Amino acid sequence: MRFLFTPVDGASVVVFRIGFGLVMVWLGIDYLVAGRAYELYVKPDFHFTYYGFDWVQPFSLNGMKLFFVAMSVLGLFVAGGLLYRATTPSLALLFTYFLLLDRTNYQNHYYLLMLLGWLMVFIPAHRLWSIDSILWPSLRSESIAAWSVWLLRFHVGLPYFFGGVAKLNHDWFAGAPLRQMLASRSDLPFIGPWLTLESVVQVFIWGGALFDLLVVPLLIWKRTRSLAYLICLAFHLINSMVFDSIHVFPWFMIVATTIFFSPDWPRPSLDRLLKIVRGLRGNPEISAESALNEVPVSRLEMGVRPAEATLNQAHSAEDPCPWMFRRRFAAMGFAGLCCLFHLAWPLVHFLEEGDTSWTERGHHFSWRMMLRGKTSGFRYLVTDPQTGLSWNPDVRKWITPDQEIRFVRDPEMILHLAHFISEDYLKLTGREFEVRALVLTSLNGRKPQLLIDPTVDLSKEPRGYYQRSWIRPLTEPLRKDPWMIPPSQWERLIDVKEVGRK
């Protein structure tokens, strides 16, 4: 365990801190400018909250605007290392609230940012190159414990490795849904026509799986690190051009992946910058190193000079006293349990019955990316048990079209909305109504089939972590030519048993 507390240069963690904070600034501004604050959180009357977190609800429009402004400001504070110990938990709390607001807005990179946000609370990334270290010189330190670097590497490596594990399935290697995704982007300038070539599709299939599985060990091994990062850079730049739905993820990962380099990697770049500055000031003969050696000791403590002296002093320090050792042991034990959880949870879906891309059980928080293309046609049926009358409610009076596209692929969210519909009619009439749903779903270009049993009264089915016997098993085989008929025509082309009417 001692090696985890070995002092290492804190420069790479500082770069990570700056990148993380600026991404938060970007996200907050983007949600305001693009109008997502209103479209996603104010316009809908109903939100698909996570089970157990129904109490997490959005603010008013002005409140949500203020929320995203606060997120951007806190991100700027974290990037600059200002009031770091107060701003990091505040930012982590705000982003957790943001993630829990609506399941239809779930993104794997949002989950990653939330995990990293809470991790930054415990990492003293403000001791070097920060406003805090200027305001409070006693905080200044050029070194940081090695566990900080390794925990960041672990979390950045999670979406890579488990993204690769999730791709080890029949549909992925058959090119579904990737072939359809690439074909939909054939209108892109320059590269668009290439995306429909089968050879290019195969490169994406095999290259994507191998990259995700191998990039972390290649980044850890010093001999292959530079090459691995260049491949990583190309991978994320291509993804940013081809898959516009992944938003800020590729840009953040380009910065975050630098944490795999040597902890002191930013210093040579700083040296070159100082040489340029000196040259502009008319002192080109003075090197960055000599310039650094001439500054006062008080300036060296701010983290400009290489960290050898600080590290040597730390190495020569006496072993921690017993109470310090116990505290370290407890902290590393807790961190170890968290790491074990993050290694186990992405594999839980293997214990679930059925294809996860179909049932959605175990899909969230498991780094399952680009694995399913789901199109659904649906309608709810509300029945008054007293009169026997039934009708199809218009769900768009409660949810937005964006929510509609996403919720209907997940049986758990279909159940959630059914409960809301039942409760809404109960408030209006004081009587209970039955709610069923006819949902036809096409997975990765398959012929549509029933996703759930249309005869089950969903208002009586409990939410939570239960087995769902009413989810129909996936029986349709993968097609060579994907199903292209629009959902509006499915019911007359597919033989399904209509929802029973009382």
Side-chain angles (χ1 to χ4, degrees):
M1 186 178 70
R2 183 173 295 180
F3 85 94
L4 292 174
F5 291 91
T6 301
V8 298
D9 199 309
S12 65
V13 175
V14 171
V15 172
F16 190 95
R17 183 200 78 212
I18 295 171
F20 174 79
L22 292 180
V23 164
M24 290 298 191
V25 175
W26 181 0
L27 273 173
I29 294 174
D30 181 68
Y31 267 75
L32 289 171
V33 173
R36 291 191 179 96
Y38 171 75
E39 289 293 330
L40 296 177
Y41 303 115
V42 179
K43 184 178 179 179
D45 288 332
F46 176 74
H47 294 278
F48 294 90
T49 53
Y50 291 86
Y51 180 69
F53 292 92
D54 294 338
W55 50 273
V56 179
Q57 293 294 322
F59 304 115
S60 64
L61 178 58
N62 289 334
M64 292 308 300
K65 288 181 177 179
L66 183 62
F67 169 83
F68 286 110
V69 169
M71 181 187 293
S72 295
V73 171
L74 288 173
L76 195 61
F77 275 38
V78 169
L82 174 60
L83 303 176
Y84 180 85
R85 286 303 187 189
T87 55
T88 47
S90 299
L91 183 58
L93 190 63
L94 285 187
F95 202 81
T96 303
Y97 166 80
F98 162 76
L99 184 70
L100 293 175
L101 277 175
D102 200 311
R103 290 181 63 180
T104 60
N105 196 36
Y106 172 83
Q107 299 280 355
N108 282 285
H109 55 274
Y110 291 166
Y111 176 48
L112 176 63
L113 288 171
M114 186 200 74
L115 294 179
L116 291 171
W118 286 110
L119 182 58
M120 294 298 286
V121 172
F122 302 98
I123 293 177
H126 62 312
R127 294 181 178 178
L128 178 65
W129 301 341
S130 70
I131 297 175
D132 280 356
S133 66
I134 297 174
L135 297 176
W136 295 281
S138 61
L139 291 175
R140 299 172 189 168
S141 174
E142 296 184 4
S143 65
I144 197 167
W147 63 263
S148 301
V149 176
W150 281 105
L151 276 180
L152 287 173
R153 289 173 175 174
F154 174 83
H155 284 80
V156 172
L158 285 173
Y160 283 129
F161 178 72
F162 285 108
V165 171
K167 289 180 174 67
L168 302 178
N169 66 78
H170 172 265
D171 280 20
W172 176 263
F173 289 107
L178 190 58
R179 187 177 285 104
Q180 292 171 264
M181 291 180 178
L182 294 175
S184 69
R185 303 292 288 168
S186 61
D187 59 340
L188 289 173
F190 305 112
I191 65 171
W194 293 80
L195 300 179
T196 59
L197 298 177
E198 185 58 27
S199 57
V200 174
V201 174
Q202 292 300 319
V203 169
F204 271 82
I205 292 170
W206 289 95
L210 291 174
F211 170 82
D212 283 342
L213 290 170
L214 299 177
V215 69
V216 172
L218 291 176
L219 285 166
I220 292 175
W221 193 25
K222 187 175 181 180
R223 291 186 178 182
T224 56
R225 186 176 295 152
S226 297
L227 176 61
Y229 187 75
L230 289 176
I231 296 173
C232 180
L233 188 64
F235 175 84
H236 289 302
L237 289 176
I238 292 172
N239 280 349
S240 69
M241 290 186 290
V242 177
F243 306 112
D244 55 355
S245 62
I246 55 179
H247 202 212
V248 74
F249 181 63
W251 306 105
F252 173 68
M253 292 303 286
I254 287 173
V255 176
T257 305
T258 61
I259 197 65
F260 286 95
F261 284 104
S262 174
D264 64 348
W265 76 264
R267 293 189 184 276
S269 299
L270 179 62
D271 286 348
R272 287 191 290 271
L273 179 61
L274 285 173
K275 287 180 181 179
I276 294 173
V277 172
R278 288 280 177 175
L280 294 175
R281 293 174 59 183
N283 299 302
E285 71 283 356
I286 301 178
S287 67
E289 186 64 29
S290 62
L292 290 173
N293 288 334
E294 291 174 1
V295 298
V297 174
S298 60
R299 294 228 4 240
L300 296 178
E301 291 175 353
M302 294 176 66
V304 180
R305 187 173 182 177
E308 285 84 355
T310 305
L311 299 184
N312 289 336
Q313 291 173 6
H315 277 299
S316 63
E318 297 181 358
D319 290 339
C321 58
W323 71 267
M324 180 67 74
F325 178 82
R326 287 193 295 269
R327 191 173 75 170
R328 287 183 176 182
F329 185 81
M332 288 301 99
F334 177 75
L337 289 175
C338 291
C339 290
L340 285 175
F341 171 81
H342 290 305
L343 291 174
W345 182 258
L347 305 176
V348 167
H349 67 88
F350 288 112
L351 304 177
E352 296 285 352
E353 185 177 351
D355 188 329
T356 301
S357 293
W358 179 252
T359 67
E360 300 288 324
R361 296 182 68 82
H363 175 80
H364 283 71
F365 313 112
S366 298
W367 316 112
R368 297 175 55 82
M369 298 169 280
M370 302 293 178
L371 297 178
R372 75 213 198 295
K374 268 173 139 174
T375 305
S376 295
F378 77 99
R379 54 188 171 88
Y380 282 97
L381 183 76
V382 177
T383 301
D384 184 344
Q386 290 188 8
T387 65
L389 295 177
S390 299
W391 62 94
N392 302 120
D394 182 6
V395 299
R396 290 199 176 187
K397 64 182 179 180
W398 298 302
I399 63 175
T400 64
D402 283 341
Q403 287 177 302
E404 182 180 343
I405 292 171
R406 291 172 174 83
F407 98 91
V408 74
R409 64 191 179 190
D410 189 334
E412 207 65 31
M413 286 195 270
I414 294 171
L415 175 67
H416 191 185
L417 184 55
H419 278 220
F420 174 81
I421 293 172
S422 176
E423 291 166 4
D424 190 63
Y425 279 105
L426 177 62
K427 292 177 183 177
L428 290 173
T429 66
R431 295 186 288 111
E432 293 185 349
F433 289 76
E434 298 171 356
V435 183
R436 296 175 176 83
L438 176 67
V439 184
L440 292 170
T441 299
S442 169
L443 173 64
N444 293 340
R446 289 174 170 84
K447 180 181 177 180
Q449 67 164 82
L450 285 171
L451 176 61
I452 64 175
D453 187 342
T455 65
V456 172
D457 180 5
L458 296 176
S459 67
K460 299 297 190 294
E461 295 294 320
R463 291 179 61 204
Y465 307 104
Y466 300 95
Q467 289 299 317
R468 302 302 189 193
S469 60
W470 42 268
I471 299 178
R472 291 289 184 88
L474 179 64
T475 57
E476 289 292 339
L478 197 63
R479 297 164 59 94
K480 182 179 180 180
D481 297 318
W483 182 271
M484 300 299 292
I485 299 173
S488 60
Q489 302 179 33
W490 287 0
E491 284 193 50
R492 66 182 181 83
L493 295 175
I494 301 169
D495 183 22
V496 296
K497 184 179 180 180
E498 274 285 351
V499 179
R501 295 174 181 265
K502 291 189 177 182

